[in-house]
């Protein structure tokens, strides 16, 4: 497997909105897949993007079922992927975007493996993640989606709340709306039983995460297609809402 060549092919697929065939990359294991992800993210950083966050994927049974996998995965977020709450997001260059409701954590201290995750958290917010697999038809192996930076394409975070009074966020209702109509409903319990577990998993997987990092804990429902000209909103009970409108050339 040529790690650089696959990273460059995935990067070109993202920039040109042209998918690669999935299933035939020849990646031998997840270790090799994360090496491709590292090379792919390095290409973004070389173009001037800045790392802003860390995301977990396949933290819910709904997502695992939807994509036919059974392992937790992780990827990286950059400033280029940020979508302002209440703003617009251009989807014209994307391949087949989908959106999913999540919970986001903002680190105020360093999050270390085995540490108390909440001690490192400064704030919590409702979030939306846009995923856009660079593989044709969202069909890929587990290693391939890891190599593709876990399909990361965009994310929006709502108003941050002090975590002090929020408890473990274990069973909060989650609503995903497209143009004011319910697209999916779920619960934060879908995220590894409670989103706090995602923090512990992130610490274990990343080694250590620095203050200022945003962590997307994973989707609370299956992802839904996100066409242009759509207003999307996610609401997490007790945390509030976050939303944006998709455009072409917005
Ligand atoms: O849950 C996630 O954010 C991971 C997404 C990767 C798989 C997909 O493209 O659905
Ligand atoms: Mg996600």
């Amino acid at each position: 497997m040529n790690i650089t060549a696959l990273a460059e092919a995935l990067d070109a697929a993202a920039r040109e909105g042209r998918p690669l065939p999935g299933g035939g990359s020849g990646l031998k294991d997840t270790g090799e897949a994360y090496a491709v992800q590292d090379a792919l993210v390095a290409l973004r950083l070389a173009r001037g993007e800045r790392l802003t966050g860390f995301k977990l994927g396949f933290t819910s049974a709904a997502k695992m079922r939807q994509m036919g996998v059974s392992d937790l995965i992780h990827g990286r977020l950059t400033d280029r992927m940020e979508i302002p709450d209440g703003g617009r997001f251009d989807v014209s260059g994307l391949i087949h975007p989908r959106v999913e409701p999540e919970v986001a954590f903002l680190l105020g201290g360093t999050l270390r493996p085995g540490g108390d995750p909440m001690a490192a958290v400064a704030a919590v917010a409702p979030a939306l993640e846009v995923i856009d697999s660079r593989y044709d038809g969202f069909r890929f192996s587990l290693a391939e989606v890891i190599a593709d930076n876990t399909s990361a394409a965009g994310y929006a975070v709502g108003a941050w709340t002090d975590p002090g009074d929020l408890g473990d966020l274990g069973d909060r209702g989650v609503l995903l709306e497209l143009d004011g109509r319910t697209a999916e409903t779920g619960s934060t319990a879908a995220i590894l039983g409670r989103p706090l577990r995602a923090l512990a998993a992130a610490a274990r997987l990343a080694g250590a995460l620095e203050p200022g990092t945003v962590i997307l804990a994973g989707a609370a429902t299956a992802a839904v297609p996100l066409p242009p000209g759509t207003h999307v909103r996610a609401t997490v009970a007790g945390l509030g809402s976050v939303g944006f409108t998709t455009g072409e050339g917005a």
Side-chain angles (χ1 to χ4, degrees), residues 55-59 63 100-102 128-131 150 216-220 223:
K55 60 163 281 193
L56 290 165
F58 302 148
T59 47
K63 282 283 300 193
E100 55 194 23
E102 306 218 3
L128 284 162
E129 187 188 12
V130 178
I131 54 172
T150 65
L216 290 187

Side-chain angles (χ1 to χ4, degrees), residues 30 33 58 69-73 140-147:
T30 58
F58 302 148
V69 301
S70 57
D71 269 344
L72 206 64
I73 58 176
F140 41 68
S141 66
L142 186 68
E144 285 171 340
V145 68
I146 290 169

Side-chain angles (χ1 to χ4, degrees), residues 6-169:
L6 181 52
E8 286 175 351
L10 287 164
D11 189 57
R15 284 186 291 111
E16 293 161 18
R18 199 177 24 79
L20 304 175
S25 64
L27 283 164
K28 74 173 187 303
D29 56 26
T30 58
E32 199 167 69
Y34 280 111
V36 175
Q37 184 189 118
D38 287 346
L40 178 62
V41 172
L43 291 172
R44 282 179 169 269
L45 301 186
R47 286 196 294 271
E49 294 181 40
R50 186 173 48 82
L51 281 178
T52 52
F54 187 85
K55 60 163 281 193
L56 290 165
F58 302 148
T59 47
S60 77
K63 282 283 300 193
M64 286 188 190
R65 231 180 0 255
Q66 182 179 32
M67 305 316 297
V69 301
S70 57
D71 269 344
L72 206 64
I73 58 176
H74 60 92
R76 261 74 64 76
L77 306 171
T78 73
D79 58 341
R80 184 80 201 278
M81 300 176 192
E82 287 173 354
I83 307 169
D85 184 17
R88 290 180 70 79
F89 181 58
D90 179 10
V91 292
S92 61
L94 301 184
I95 300 166
H96 39 203
R98 297 178 179 178
V99 66
E100 55 194 23
E102 306 218 3
V103 171
F105 295 95
L106 176 65
L107 296 186
T110 303
L111 178 62
R112 294 199 169 80
D116 170 8
M118 271 322 266
V121 170
V124 187
L128 284 162
E129 187 188 12
V130 178
I131 54 172
D132 189 40
S133 174
R134 271 56 71 164
Y135 299 106
D136 207 10
F138 266 88
R139 282 187 296 276
F140 41 68
S141 66
L142 186 68
E144 285 171 340
V145 68
I146 290 169
D148 185 24
N149 195 22
T150 65
S151 307
Y155 70 102
V157 174
W160 292 108
T161 300
D162 187 305
D165 300 324
L166 292 173
D168 68 3
L169 295 165

